[in-house]
Structures are given as structure tokens and as C-alpha cells.
Amino acid sequence: MTALARPSLLAMEGRWLLRSRLALAVLAVLMGAIILALANGRALLAAQLASRAAASSELAEADARLRAGMARGMPAADAVLLPIRVRMPVIAPLPPLIDASAGQAPLAPDAGAAGLRSRADTLFARSTLENPELLMRGGLDLGFVVLVIAPLLLVVLGHGMIPADRDSGALRLVLAQGGGVGRLLLARSLPRLALVLAPIALALLWLGLSGPDLPGRTTALIWWGLIALASLLLWWALVLLVNSLRSSADAAALALVAIWALFTLVLPALLTALVGLAQPLPSRYAVIAKARAAEVAATAQWDNDHAEAVSDELASRRDALARTLDVTGKVAAAIAPIMADHAARRAGRQETLDQLALLAPPMLAAQALARAAGSDAGAVAQVQDAAAAHVAQLRAALARLATRPQPMTPADLDRLPRFVAPAPAAPPLGALAWLLALASGLLLAAVRQINRLQPD
Amino acid sequence: MGAVLEARGLTKRYGAALALDGLNLAVAAGETLCLLGANGAGKTTTLNLFLGFTAPTAGAALVDGLVVAEDPAAARARLGYVAEVVSLYPSLSGAENLAFFAGLAGVAVDPARRDAILARLRFPADAILRPAGTYSKGMRQKLGLAIALMKEARVILLDEPLSGLDPAAANDLVGVLRETAAGGVALLISTHDIFRAKEVASRIGIMRHGRLVAMIDPASLSAGELEHMYLTHMAERAA
Amino acid sequence: MSPAAIAASVAAKDWAEYRRDWRLALISLLVALLAVTAVVAAFVEVTAHDADRRATIAADRVTWEGQGARNPHSAAHFAFWAFRPLPPMALLDPGVLPYAGSAIWLEAHNRNPAQARPAEDLAGGLDLGRFSAAWVFQYVLPLLLFIIGAGLVAREREAGTLRLMLASGLAAGQVMPAKYLALGRIAAVLVLPLLAAALVATLLAGPVDGVALLLWLSAYLLYFAILAALAVAVSALCATAAQARLLLVGLWLVLLLIVPRLGSGLAMQAAPVPTPHDFAAGVQAQMKSGHDPFGKDGKAFEAAVMARYGVTRLEDLPVNIDGLRLEAAEQHGNRVFDAAWGRLAATHEAGRAALRLAALLSPLVPLQNLSMALAGSDAAVQRDFQDRAEAHRRRIISLLNADMTAHAGAAGFDYHADAALWRRAPDFAWQPPGTAAALARSWPDALALGLWLLAALGLLRLAGRRLAAGQQ
């Protein structure tokens, strides 16, 4: 008899939930948001793919022209300048799940060209044409649905599971029936969770089936799904805990909304701003001013040291090239400490934010989702650091070619260092563990309370 | 036949206030005990103790020989409970409410058995598919009883089941309660309506200040004694 | 009692109830602290940014003037930087500025996009807006207003006190105005000290246009009036306080968090911005295909210049022809830039227009537009900064080309100018366009807010009618 009854309680609760207008409204908001998020994700992915394709085809054409020129042969005076015409593509790897969590990607540079005169601070300077007015409004991606919308919908669906019965007086009869509230809560939880989780899972499945075949996409999808699940389970554990307290439905709703607002809306913005104030980065303006001062000083010194005029074209070009090498080298050296300081402080600041995120689980989940998707601030910083290292390496290699007597050949071009994208970050295991630990803790507390539940 | 419901020195204290003071009583199967008393006499506290909604300060409440405080779930499995206002889910039909509460008790509803119970309770047959929000108080009480009978409760606790019913509905419910008890179920009813208590009870316990002060056989009660009791009862209410 | 007196006494009762609900008092206190923190944080940021900018400009002036003897065109490649100042009211509402470049390199032959976006440097992971006073007013206070307002009528109905109030002589038609006044009073106590704190900090940060500040305040009061009317109306239309609370939270989610993002997403797709590479490649192609006085059009250019000066040999020209060539190439480049950046601006403008459609679905969109415009931190101000910087670039490059033309003579690119010329090149000075311009571009937003208020008051009236019908 019991075996028959258990599924039927679940079936009853599920049927009644689907019949309620509330569930319909929740489903409508959720589905609308998911469709919007998928459309936005698809557009972002397409734009990022197009931008990278355009950059790499443009650079490939430049490379082909350079090689054709070398093959045709050219006057020595022109051949001298070949190293300065080399432009190597620096293309940031496409985050494998950028269409689920945009993260920092809309603000991050995707492609640049490195050459003899490149500097780490100006490599990506041209990638800022987006409409700031739209950037400011923020985006709506699947991560936003999971982190912001879904928890509120869970609160709407779940805040009254027990308190509403307490308010109506039905809780006395419910308890008197003696089946245990735990079972009832389970029967009420599963359909509500399914109502919110199933559309999200379907969206993820759709991303998996319809998306481009990017390296690491499947792994990213799995981790993203796990983090999303853990984050929503944490919210549900909180909903259960509030259900197990002696409160009215209105008080439960108020408490849950206040907690949501504190942890999702207020703390992330507040903590981010405070960390920004407490750990400021070296001024970008200072880098600009320093580079310019170094350029003027190095140019003046060179001109002072090489006052004698050279008559023939070849020698004068060699001279100009040597001057460029000297000046760019000195400028790079002058800003290197600020850039290093910038990178170190940026990493320190990120570390602080990561630690503070332990206090605000939605923030932690947001970072972890972006990390799983490969679009977090850390990934962007890694690409920029790798690009800076590549620029230094490439400049050194080109400088060797520029200063040797023989002209550059296609074989030299082939031997130049290429930009290698940094390895993807380790999956956000720590964040997942922390979210699950918090969820288990809340769930345990809720179970303890539920067993002691009294009707009034 | 042994007692299905038993209180042994049952005591409940809320801070300094003594809500129930060493209550001893026993109700056997097929018997109906009415607890009579003013507000605050300890009737509701007694019901709450049998339901396990509150823990006794001393003594024990037993259902079918089980100490409620030790295993409230097992005790509740044998109990039925009909509140003063039976709170149902207004948007669900009577049948769905019944199925839900039976499901909570781990009982699957067999429609034939359900209809038999409802017929015995004289519940209007066509109303069971209507939303419970449209039910009268009498219908709610009957559905509450049906919920208790559906889980084959050995004991049914009723909290002021007759208050607020019009005379015809009250007469009807009294008849239903008598038939239910005759079916072998023990009934514990809290009420402050002496006249109805006389109609339905096999025994009447009078409570005052948390104590059971008298246990009366209603059959032995003359009209004059009833009136005397009523006045004592009302005097206390006024006090 | 007169209707006004009744409304006042209801408001006084609701105020007393609000004060005694420790949960609401605690939340209000936290929100107040939050707003004060936002103002202090913004004050620190604005003053630090300004100090940084001034120090950079001063240091760079020394570098510029100390570059020694140099050919003017070489100096034109070195050129200047334009740094964007923060308007004092950005302390209240930073607007688009964190998402827009704050520095532009003003080099010869090139119009560079603005770079150094503050938003690139700070990522908390969960971005529901940048922390500022405007953010607290736009998102947090409305939520608080909704939570407080939800119970105002619904709880009275649940507790039966609404019937009692009506039985005591309050006309059903007076309930809604009285409750609106009550929420207004609570909101005023919450909001006014915060606004005052924000204003003081703004005045400390720099000279502010009083009219803009007053209009800015009025815009927010209008916004709160809309939200309060919605809250009271929903509270009256719902059966229970819990229902009203959740419906309002849902409304908050949709109106404030989802719709603006929906609008922004649709606008991005309706008015897609070219990729940086396509944009740069397009400009390069135009530059190459046009007038080239150094290459294919060189001979014609020389002939035209010689004709203008009435000479037949280049050596007889009283000016340096390379300076003229540079200036002619620059003029051609400017036309290309005007066209390309004009198209980009039109794309941004189309995005803005598409986003404005979302104003029909959310009062936050027009409020943000109005708030940013009045604070001098909207996209139009950013575009003005970029356009003024470009005008400055052209002025400087023309100055340097003119010097080359006039003084280089036969030395040509070997001619060196000195610090006297560098000193003649002014620093980039920019005053954001004023309040009149802000109003001229944001009247549709003000109109949209006005319509929202009318709609919200209409809903309030409707709720009042239903209340009256239900109680009689």
C-alpha cells in the first residue's frame, strides 16, 4: 500500500502544480528568459567567430603578401625593412561555452597583430567600437538565468510549501495524518525543482547539440551544468530551511527575497567596488605617460649618439631600423615594471575577489560558471599575459633578424615564435565543492528543523 | 476491551502557567468521550498532547498503547483529527483533498471504499468533485471525518466539531458521529456545548483550570442537573 | 474629517506600523548604509581619477615640450593623448563612462578609438550593474519600495481592518490616495536623506549645474512616484500580502532586470557594430583608394600647387610642398574618418533608438537615459568627447603641417622645429555639453516617464474602483 502511495503523493503534487497559474507564470518567465539568453548567446558566439576569422584572414593575406614579396626578390634597401613588416596574429582562444556565460568576453579583446614595434599595452588597443550604452545595460545569458532569475522563481514556487498550510490551518491536519512532513516536502520539492531545472537542462542540451564543435566544449558543458545544479540546489536548500521555520508565507517570502537581494544584487556589486577601491591598479594613464617620456628620452639619446649623417639609402635604412629597435626596446623596458605591477596587482585583486566570493555564493557561482565557460576575468588576464610574453619573444626574434647582415627569408618567417593560447584553467572544482557543502549544510539544518516542526 | 486512548498524569506547563495538571483518562474503542470546559480549561492542550503537537511536561499520552512523545509519527498513524474548521485546499476538489491527505498517511484511495465512507457520512455525492472552497462548514467536518476514516484511524480527535453549525447540520453530524463510534472507533471530542455533548457522548469529562474535575455518565443526567452544570460552566466562563 | 485629514491619519498609522516592523527598519537601515557607501566610494573614485588625469597631462606636457629639435611630422606621429575628465555628477551616476574608453591617442593619419575602459579592469563575476548612488536608487530602493508597499492594502484586507476602516467612514475611493500618501511618506523618509548625502558629495567633487541637479532629482522622484503607484495598486489587486509581495518582486525582476537587458540584446542584433578589423580595413581601403599626393596623384598635386603660386619649378615654390602634401593627405583622411565614424555613430544611434523601445516595457530605461544625460555621463557625452578629441587632433596636426609648409623649405623632412612650436600646441581641453543639450536629446525619455506615471496612476485608480466595488 505504501509503495503505491508514495509515488501518488508526488504525482498529485506535480499535477496540482502544473494546474496552478503561478507555475504557468513562472514557466513563461523562465522560458522567455531562456530563449532570449540562447539568442543572445548565439549572436555573441557568431560575432566572436566572425571577428576572429576576419582578423586571421587579414593577417594571413598580409603574410602571403610578405612571402610573395620575398619570393619575387627586392632591392637590398627594401629587404632591410622586412622584419618591421612582419605581423603575427595574436588571437585569443574562443571561450568554449561563451554562448552560455558571456563573462568578460564582450569587454575582452579577441585579436591583435604583434610585430617589431608592438607593445604589450597597445597590442589590443583597437578593439573598442561596441556601443557603451548597450554594454552598460548588461547582457542576458544563460548564466544570468541560472544565477539571477531561476533563484527568484524557486523562491516564488517554494516559499509557501509549509508556511501557506500553516497560514490556512491545513498544517494541523497534514501533521495529524502522520506521514511525516519530510515526505510531503520531497513530493512538493521535486515538481517545483523540475519545473525550473528541466528548461535549463534542455537549454544546455540544445547548446551541446547545436553549438559549434569547439575544443573543450563538452567538458565545459558538464562543469557548467554541475555548477548551475549545485547553485540551484543551494537555493532550494535555503528555501527548505525557511519552510522549516515557524513563519507565515509572507514572512518566508520576505526573508527569501531579502536574502536573494543581499547575496545576488547587493554583495557582488558592493564587494567588487570595495575591492576596486582597496586594491587600486596602477593607472593606465601613467603607463601612457611613462612610455612617451621613455620614447622621447631614448630618441634624444640615440640622435645624440648618432649625429653623423649617413649618405647611402641602405645604411640610412639600417640606421633607422636600429633606432626603432633601440627606442622600442627602451620604451618596453621603461613600462615593464608598471605592467608587471599591473599584472601582479590585478591577480591579487582577483584573488581577493575569489576569497570574498565564498561569502556570496551567487558571486562564487557566477565566477565558476564563467570559468567553466572559459570567459572569466582570469582567462582574459591569462591571454593578455601570454600575449605580452609573446610580444617580447617575437620582438627579440625580429630584432635578431633585423640586425644580421643577410635579408630575411620565408624560412626565417616560419621559425618565428607563434602565439600559443594558454592552457584552459582547471575546472572550478573548489567552487563546486563549496556550493555543495553549503547546500548540504543548509539541507541538514532544514531536515533537523523539519523533524521538529509544529503546526503553530 | 482495553483503552485506545489514555492519559496518565498528563501535565503541561507553559512557563509559570499550568495548562494541564495531572490528567488521567481512558477511552475505549466504540466509546465517545466529550471534554467539556470553558476556553483555557485545557481541552485543546489535551488534544495537542495526543497529537504530539506539543510535548508533555510530565506524564504521558498514549494512543493504542504507544507513548505519543516517544514516537509521534506512529501514534499519529493511528489517529484521526478533525479541527474546528477543517482547512482544505480550496482550489482542489473534495476528492483530491481526500486523496492527498490519505496519501500523506500512506493510504491509496480506493474509489469504491471512498464512496462507501462518504455515503455513510451522508456527504452529498455530487459535491465530492467540486472545489473544496465552495463547501459549507458541515461538509468540511464530514470530509475531515472521511479523511480520518479513510486511514482507518482507531481514534478520532474532534476539536469543537459542532460549533458554528446550523441546528439541522449539527443534528446530522451528531448522528454521523454516533454511527462512527458504533463502528468501533474511539472518539475524543472537545466542546463547550453541554446539550450537544449529552446527545453524542458516552461519557462527559468536565475540565476546569487544567484539571478533570468530574466524569459524568450523560444517561444519568437529569434536566435539572444539566441546567445546574450549565450554569456552573457559564459562571466559570464569565470569571 | 476631510478627505485630506483622513488620508493623513491613514498615512500616520501606516508609518507607525512600518516603524514597528523591525525587519523593514533593518532592511531600510542597510539600504541607507549602502547608498552612503556608494556615494563615498564614488567620491574617492572621481577625485582619484581627476588627480591621475591632471598629473598625467602635466607630465606629458613636460615630455611634449622637452622632445627637442624634431621634424614637425615626426612630432605629429608622436602627437598627443586626450584624457576624458569625469563630470562631477558622474559621482551620482557614472552612466556609460566605465564601459567607454577614457583616453584617445591623437596621432597623424589616424583616428584611433578611445581606449582604457574602467570596466575592463574590474570584474566581480556577477554584474547586475556598477555600484553607485544611481544604482542604489535604480535597483535597490525600488525593491524595498515594492516590499514595503506590497502589504499596505493587502494586509488590511487579510486582517479585516480594511472593512473596519470603511465602516468607520473612510470612503472606498479615499483608500488608494491615502495609501499612496502613506507609501510616499515612508519613501520620502527613506530617500530624502540619501539624496541629500549624494548631493553634498557631488557639490564637494566640483562645480555642478544646479538646474541639472534639480532635474536629476526630479527624474528620480518621478521614478519613485511611478513605482509607488504600481506597488499600492498591486497590493490592492492581490488577495493576500504574500501574493502581492511575490507579484511585485516578479514585476521588479521583469521591469528592472530583464526588460533593459532584453532591449540591449535586441538593439545589439538590430544595429550590429562592425568588428574592429572590418572597421579598420574599411578605413584603410578608403584611404588608399582616395587622393594620394605622395603617390599616384603626386604629379597633378605638384602642378596644382605650382599653378597656385604662379611658378613653373618646384624649387621656386615659397613653401615646402611636402608640408602641403601632408596636409592634403590629412584632409582626405579626415573625410574618410568622418564617413566611417559617422556610420559608426549612426549604428550606435540606431542601437539607442532600438533600446528606447524597451522604455515602453520598463520605466528604468527612460530613467537611466535621463539620469545619465543630466549627469553628463551618457553615450552622447562620450561621443562629444571623442569628436572634440578628433577636432583637437586635426588642429594639432594642421598646426604641425603648416609649420612644415612654412619653414621646412628645401630641407624637407630633415627640417627640425623646436620647443617654440611645441609650446604653441595647446592641451586638449573639453567641456562636456551642458544641460540644455542633455534636455534636447532626452525629451522622449522624460515623455516616456510621464506616460509611465499616468499609466501607473491609472492602474491605481482602477484598483481603487475594484476595491470600492468589492467592498460594497
Side-chain angles (χ1 to χ4, degrees):
Chain A
M1 202 154 77
T2 320
L4 191 90
R6 270 167 210 269
S8 83
L9 197 58
L10 178 61
M12 277 188 270
E13 287 291 349
R15 210 165 47 235
W16 297 335
L17 178 69
L18 287 182
R19 227 160 63 184
S20 70
R21 278 193 310 188
L22 186 70
L24 215 64
V26 162
L27 205 58
V29 170
L30 186 62
M31 293 300 286
I34 286 179
I35 290 170
L36 199 63
L38 291 178
N40 284 343
R42 177 156 273 223
L44 177 65
L45 183 67
Q48 296 260 330
L49 280 170
S51 172
R52 282 169 172 79
S56 69
S57 79
E58 186 203 328
L59 289 167
E61 279 169 30
D63 186 67
R65 276 199 302 275
L66 196 64
R67 284 172 195 269
M70 286 182 194
R72 267 199 313 273
M74 55 180 76
D78 289 344
V80 164
L81 293 182
L82 278 173
I84 219 164
R85 287 174 52 198
V86 171
R87 289 168 76 225
M88 301 290 278
V90 177
I91 295 182
L94 185 66
L97 206 53
I98 193 173
D99 42 352
S101 274
Q104 278 292 92
L107 283 170
D110 46 21
L116 189 63
R117 284 180 292 188
S118 294
R119 283 191 347 227
D121 62 322
T122 53
L123 184 60
F124 295 118
R126 290 198 174 183
S127 53
T128 51
L129 300 176
E130 298 86 348
N131 190 345
E133 197 174 2
L134 301 184
L135 287 178
M136 177 215 118
R137 254 70 184 212
L140 199 161
D141 55 15
L142 206 54
F144 184 85
V145 174
V146 165
L147 296 164
V148 179
I149 299 178
L152 267 183
L153 297 181
L154 287 179
V155 166
V156 168
L157 287 175
H159 75 280
M161 287 190 296
I162 295 299
D165 281 0
R166 190 195 310 281
D167 292 350
S168 75
L171 186 59
R172 286 182 73 86
L173 187 50
V174 165
L175 287 171
Q177 284 302 87
V181 195
R183 235 181 88 224
L184 176 62
L185 268 178
L186 189 67
R188 286 187 172 167
S189 291
L190 292 179
R192 284 165 171 79
L193 270 175
L195 189 72
V196 172
L197 288 180
I200 294 172
L202 281 179
L204 269 186
L205 193 67
W206 189 81
L207 282 184
L209 294 177
S210 74
D213 187 20
L214 297 169
R217 189 165 164 97
T218 312
T219 321
L221 265 170
I222 291 170
W223 276 101
W224 200 96
L226 286 175
I227 295 283
L229 183 67
S231 159
L232 291 174
L233 287 181
L234 174 59
W235 277 109
W236 196 252
L238 183 72
V239 166
L240 287 177
L241 182 62
V242 170
N243 263 281
S244 71
L245 301 177
R246 203 171 280 199
S247 68
S248 67
D250 188 34
L254 180 63
L256 285 167
V257 168
I259 291 171
W260 177 90
L262 178 65
F263 284 98
T264 304
L265 181 67
V266 172
L267 274 184
L270 179 68
L271 293 177
T272 308
L274 292 184
V275 168
L277 278 186
Q279 290 175 269
L281 296 185
S283 148
R284 285 176 180 258
Y285 296 172
V287 178
I288 293 170
K290 184 88 181 169
R292 286 164 63 79
E295 189 179 334
V296 162
T299 310
Q301 195 189 347
W302 177 276
D303 291 348
N304 199 29
D305 296 350
H306 302 76
E308 70 285 7
V310 228
S311 50
D312 92 284
E313 180 84 21
L314 180 63
S316 119
R317 286 207 172 161
R318 278 195 179 285
D319 199 43
L321 192 57
R323 183 173 183 259
T324 302
L325 279 175
D326 181 74
V327 172
T328 50
K330 282 181 174 153
V331 170
I335 61 167
I338 311 186
M339 297 295 286
D341 186 28
H342 198 280
R345 285 214 242 169
R346 189 183 51 193
R349 179 194 256 191
Q350 199 58 49
E351 200 177 319
T352 312
L353 271 175
D354 287 351
Q355 284 161 0
L356 285 174
L358 295 176
L359 300 175
M363 196 173 161
L364 184 73
Q367 288 172 348
L369 285 181
R371 191 156 140 204
S375 59
D376 61 325
V380 171
Q382 263 192 332
V383 169
Q384 286 179 350
D385 293 346
H390 171 68
V391 163
Q393 231 184 359
L394 182 69
R395 233 189 19 235
L398 286 171
R400 278 194 298 278
L401 291 177
T403 45
R404 75 174 190 197
Q406 310 92 323
M408 204 176 137
T409 64
D412 293 325
L413 207 51
D414 293 336
R415 275 194 298 271
L416 285 175
R418 316 263 141 185
F419 173 69
V420 181
L429 184 62
L432 181 66
W434 179 243
L435 290 174
L436 287 176
L438 283 178
S440 318
L442 286 181
L443 196 62
L444 276 180
V447 167
R448 277 172 57 118
Q449 285 291 327
I450 285 164
N451 286 332
R452 287 186 293 198
L453 197 71
Q454 297 298 357
D456 31 37
Chain B
M1 208 176 188
V4 196
L5 200 67
E6 197 181 348
R8 290 182 190 155
L10 197 57
T11 303
K12 180 68 189 179
R13 191 182 277 284
Y14 292 107
L18 195 58
L20 201 60
D21 187 5
L23 178 75
N24 287 301
L25 60 79
V27 188
E31 202 186 4
T32 301
L33 173 62
C34 274
L35 288 179
L36 200 64
N39 291 337
K43 306 185 306 276
T44 303
T45 303
T46 307
L47 294 190
N48 281 345
L49 285 162
F50 277 117
L51 283 161
F53 288 169
T54 183
T57 313
L62 290 87
V63 175
D64 216 9
L66 293 168
V67 178
V68 175
E70 282 171 8
D71 191 353
R76 285 173 191 164
R78 290 161 169 80
L79 275 179
Y81 170 64
V82 180
E84 180 176 359
V85 179
V86 176
S87 300
L88 301 167
Y89 294 98
S91 63
L92 303 184
S93 69
E96 286 172 326
N97 269 292
L98 197 57
F100 169 74
F101 284 108
L104 278 181
V107 177
V109 170
D110 167 33
R113 189 165 154 255
R114 178 193 76 192
D115 292 345
I117 290 174
L118 289 172
R120 203 169 354 133
L121 296 176
R122 294 194 285 280
F123 190 90
D126 55 333
I128 196 67
L129 295 176
R130 284 205 329 246
T134 63
Y135 288 3
S136 69
K137 189 176 174 204
M139 286 163 79
R140 287 164 174 270
Q141 301 290 349
K142 286 181 177 177
L143 200 69
L145 270 177
I147 289 169
L149 292 175
M150 198 58 126
K151 74 189 257 203
E152 294 175 326
R154 307 282 316 271
V155 191
I156 301 179
L157 309 175
L158 297 102
D159 198 357
E160 305 284 0
L162 297 159
S163 75
L165 290 185
D166 65 56
N171 275 336
D172 184 32
L173 190 64
V174 165
V176 165
L177 288 175
R178 281 174 148 167
E179 287 160 29
T180 304
V185 178
L187 299 182
L188 179 65
I189 300 175
S190 100
T191 181
H192 39 237
D193 186 336
I194 302 163
F195 303 99
R196 292 292 182 195
K198 178 173 160 35
E199 286 174 36
V200 74
S202 34
R203 280 186 298 153
I204 297 175
I206 296 185
M207 296 191 71
R208 186 186 290 177
H209 301 315
R211 286 164 172 272
L212 187 64
V213 292
M215 186 66 87
I216 298 160
D217 178 4
S220 68
L221 219 58
S222 69
E225 284 165 332
L226 199 62
E227 187 164 1
H228 172 72
M229 249 177 63
Y230 178 76
L231 288 174
T232 329
H233 180 57
M234 291 312 287
E236 191 187 6
R237 279 188 100 174
Chain C
M1 272 204 325
S2 72
I6 290 174
S9 75
V10 170
K13 184 217 66 143
D14 282 337
W15 170 246
E17 276 187 341
Y18 161 74
R19 259 190 356 205
R20 280 174 207 157
D21 189 338
W22 64 268
R23 300 168 309 178
L24 295 183
L26 178 72
I27 294 175
S28 306
L29 184 72
L30 289 178
V31 169
L33 274 177
L34 195 66
V36 171
T37 313
V39 168
V40 172
F43 183 78
V44 173
E45 202 180 323
V46 166
T47 46
H49 175 272
D50 205 45
D52 183 21
R53 188 182 67 91
R54 283 171 196 281
T56 305
I57 292 173
D60 202 52
R61 171 55 56 178
V62 173
T63 302
W64 171 255
E65 289 184 5
Q67 60 184 316
R70 191 175 194 181
N71 181 268
H73 188 61
S74 164
H77 275 283
F78 182 61
F80 263 110
W81 279 78
F83 299 103
R84 184 188 66 206
L86 278 179
M89 279 178 72
L91 190 148
L92 294 173
D93 186 354
V96 309
L97 301 184
Y99 298 89
S102 64
I104 307 178
W105 186 21
L106 311 176
E107 63 172 331
H109 313 311
N110 228 335
R111 176 171 181 175
N112 289 305
Q115 49 176 294
R117 292 178 292 190
E120 287 171 34
D121 283 335
L122 192 54
L126 188 54
D127 186 13
L128 296 189
R130 286 184 84 80
F131 189 57
S132 70
W135 178 78
V136 175
F137 295 155
Q138 288 170 6
Y139 295 96
V140 185
L141 272 174
L143 186 58
L144 184 60
L145 214 55
F146 275 7
I147 284 178
I148 294 173
L152 276 184
V153 184
R155 225 181 19 236
E156 303 256 19
R157 195 208 308 277
E158 270 183 295
T161 43
L162 186 62
R163 289 176 68 85
L164 197 60
M165 275 163 61
L166 292 170
S168 313
L170 182 68
Q174 289 172 333
V175 174
M176 302 312 277
K179 287 295 180 179
Y180 193 40
L181 186 74
L183 187 55
R185 176 171 169 175
I186 294 171
V189 172
L190 278 175
V191 169
L192 291 179
L194 301 183
L195 285 175
L199 294 188
V200 170
T202 309
L203 294 171
L204 286 177
V208 174
D209 180 0
V211 177
L213 204 53
L214 268 178
L215 288 173
W216 191 86
L217 281 180
S218 316
Y220 279 90
L221 292 181
L222 196 60
Y223 180 60
F224 293 137
I226 293 166
L227 297 172
L230 286 180
V232 174
V234 168
S235 177
L237 290 171
C238 283
T240 67
Q243 223 176 61
R245 197 105 65 187
L246 289 174
L247 186 59
L248 282 169
V249 169
L251 209 58
W252 177 86
L253 176 73
V254 171
L255 293 186
L256 271 54
L257 286 187
I258 296 184
V259 168
R261 280 156 206 268
L262 167 94
S264 145
L266 292 181
M268 278 184 187
Q269 294 180 35
V273 174
T275 70
H277 280 86
D278 288 347
F279 185 79
V283 167
Q284 281 308 313
Q286 287 285 313
M287 294 282 273
K288 280 188 186 134
S289 71
H291 185 65
D292 179 9
F294 282 99
K296 63 179 169 57
D297 304 316
K299 288 288 166 220
F301 184 77
E302 286 169 5
V305 170
M306 286 190 289
R308 200 186 326 149
Y309 284 95
V311 297
T312 51
R313 296 187 317 164
L314 283 178
E315 300 90 281
D316 297 337
L317 277 175
V319 292
N320 176 280
I321 190 158
D322 284 336
L324 291 174
R325 277 194 237 263
L326 284 170
E327 186 59 21
E330 202 65 42
Q331 295 295 341
H332 167 60
N334 291 349
R335 281 188 293 277
V336 172
F337 300 141
D338 283 343
W341 286 84
R343 276 193 300 276
L344 184 65
T347 307
H348 284 189
E349 203 49 55
R352 179 182 177 81
L355 180 68
R356 258 193 182 143
L357 288 179
L360 296 173
L361 299 174
S362 163
L364 178 62
V365 173
L367 173 82
Q368 280 179 331
N369 285 345
L370 205 52
S371 168
M372 292 189 290
L374 290 167
S377 58
D378 68 348
V381 172
Q382 171 71 13
R383 201 170 310 140
D384 187 70
F385 161 68
Q386 292 172 186
D387 291 345
R388 294 306 160 114
E390 173 63 7
H392 187 70
R393 181 185 78 83
R394 294 176 186 184
R395 202 157 47 239
I396 300 274
I397 304 299
S398 283
L399 175 79
L400 297 172
N401 286 341
D403 182 77
M404 172 102 171
T405 307
H407 302 121
F413 285 100
D414 291 329
Y415 157 73
H416 285 182
D418 61 16
L421 175 62
W422 316 145
R423 275 195 291 273
R424 277 171 53 209
D427 276 333
F428 173 63
W430 171 64
Q431 276 299 317
T435 310
L439 284 177
R441 69 176 173 268
S442 40
W443 66 264
D445 302 305
L447 182 69
L449 272 187
L451 289 177
W452 264 97
L453 184 65
L454 285 181
L457 290 177
L459 189 68
L460 197 65
R461 211 181 143 82
L462 177 83
R465 287 228 185 103
R466 283 199 35 181
L467 190 80
Q471 293 295 332
Q472 277 155 11

